[in-house]
Amino acid sequence: MTFHSFQTLPENPQPLRINWPTVAFFAGIHALALLAPWFFSWSALGVTLLLHWLFGSIGVCLGYHRLLSHRSFKVPRWLEYAIAFLGALSLQGGPIFWVAGHRLHHAYTEDEYKDPYSASKGFWWSHILWIFYPRQEFFNFECYQRFAPDLARDPFYHWLNRYFWLLQIPVALLLYALGGWSFIIYGVFVRCVILWHTTWFINSVTHMWGYRSFESNDNSRNLWWAAILTYGEGWHNNHHAYPHVAKCGWRWWEIDVTWWAIQLLKILGLAKDVNLPPANAVSLSS
């Protein structure tokens, strides 16, 4: 990624217009998730928690975020593809879309026009409204692909970026075979809604509330409950201060479940060149 490619973003883009099909899609998924009380079972709840971790912690946090967006460690290509596939199953967009947007977020954190989910525009904008009022440079493939050129050159990521949403169909069919409609309601709709909002909390609340361990040119914060819900991503000030470090929770009590998975991959010889916190890092408490 060259810095020049970031400079092509407009300083004052065209007025925003709401995308009603997108609103209808998210509203429909949320409405179906509300059926959960009528389809409850402990096994269905277990499916929700399992898939939230598998698609969220492994697919999004470890894969889309720490591996693909920041390249904070390396794994064999086959494993990278498998982890990215899990990220696509989260229904948070294809890998090129997700990575491009996140890299822009770091390049222009909280900039009103250049950060796709800028917290400077308020909680609801950074949490969800940025999706309902899409801007072409962030949502049109021909525009955003230049912000993730390493992925855009790869045919597999092209395919995954285009067809990620279709992957919910085999997931739903498998869940139906295992547990009927209860597993579909919980394993698809409830899981999607919870995973969406826990991910969006990192865009919104961790730029508003919490404590700061490091000086950074933004309002990023470390927020304990957001870290619990997102397997370690809530230690957001640590991450913004050192975005290419694979570990988000630095202190012993800053629980980072995703980091545990990276450590396991390292022990198994599957993760290499893992970026660790620098020895000369200076915290605000120093």
Side-chain angles (χ1 to χ4, degrees):
M1 170 59 63
T2 62
F3 186 76
H4 173 74
S5 63
F6 286 111
Q7 299 302 311
T8 59
L9 288 169
E11 293 291 339
N12 190 10
Q14 295 297 312
L16 297 171
R17 300 183 65 178
I18 193 167
N19 186 304
W20 287 111
T22 298
V23 174
F25 170 78
F26 281 94
I29 299 296
H30 280 72
L32 289 167
L34 292 176
L35 296 173
W38 290 274
F39 290 88
F40 177 81
S41 71
W42 288 109
S43 57
L45 180 60
V47 167
T48 299
L49 297 176
L50 173 63
L51 296 185
H52 186 280
W53 167 78
L54 185 63
F55 300 163
S57 180
I58 305 303
V60 174
C61 303
L62 187 151
Y64 273 14
H65 187 206
R66 305 191 199 188
L67 177 60
L68 297 183
S69 294
H70 296 292
R71 297 296 183 184
S72 60
F73 63 99
K74 296 178 181 178
V75 296
R77 183 55 60 91
W78 66 266
L79 182 56
E80 178 180 311
Y81 285 168
I83 294 172
F85 190 86
L86 292 176
L89 288 171
S90 71
L91 202 60
Q92 293 187 16
I96 302 174
F97 164 81
W98 203 103
V99 169
H102 190 72
R103 288 176 179 174
L104 281 169
H105 169 67
H106 275 273
Y108 297 108
T109 307
E110 297 168 4
D111 183 277
E112 183 177 356
Y113 300 118
K114 298 180 180 181
D115 181 348
Y117 28 87
S118 173
S120 67
K121 298 177 71 173
F123 170 85
W124 285 111
W125 175 265
S126 58
H127 193 74
I128 193 172
L129 290 181
W130 68 279
I131 299 172
F132 292 168
Y133 291 87
R135 285 174 47 194
Q136 180 169 294
E137 55 267 38
F138 304 142
F139 284 84
N140 182 288
F141 177 79
E142 296 305 320
C143 295
Y144 69 69
Q145 67 167 327
R146 66 183 184 272
F147 304 120
D150 49 331
L151 274 63
R153 289 190 294 265
D154 191 310
F156 174 74
Y157 287 127
H158 263 272
W159 178 86
L160 201 57
N161 201 71
R162 185 172 184 177
Y163 297 110
F164 72 93
W165 58 277
L166 288 174
L167 300 178
Q168 296 303 307
I169 296 175
V171 170
L173 292 174
L174 176 61
L175 289 173
Y176 184 80
L178 294 174
W181 284 106
S182 177
F183 273 30
I184 289 182
I185 295 297
Y186 277 83
V188 176
F189 303 115
V190 174
R191 179 263 304 173
C192 277
V193 169
I194 296 175
L195 186 51
W196 282 339
H197 286 283
T198 50
T199 300
W200 297 338
F201 277 145
I202 304 304
N203 302 340
S204 56
V205 298
T206 60
H207 281 266
M208 296 180 177
W209 301 294
Y211 64 90
R212 289 167 61 82
S213 295
F214 299 96
E215 286 286 358
S216 57
N217 297 322
D218 52 58
N219 197 41
S220 58
R221 306 277 169 161
N222 293 325
L223 190 58
W224 69 270
W225 61 264
I228 292 174
L229 292 175
T230 58
Y231 309 99
E233 302 295 283
W235 311 118
H236 207 49
N237 175 247
N238 298 347
H239 175 61
H240 268 264
Y242 295 92
H244 297 293
V245 169
K247 185 179 184 181
C248 288
W250 288 29
R251 299 175 182 177
W252 68 266
W253 45 267
E254 292 178 339
I255 297 174
D256 187 352
V257 175
T258 302
W259 168 244
W260 299 347
I262 296 173
Q263 284 185 301
L264 178 60
L265 290 176
K266 185 177 180 180
I267 291 171
L268 295 174
L270 294 172
K272 299 181 178 179
D273 298 333
V274 179
N275 292 337
L276 299 174
N280 61 349
V282 179
S283 69
L284 292 174
S285 60
S286 298

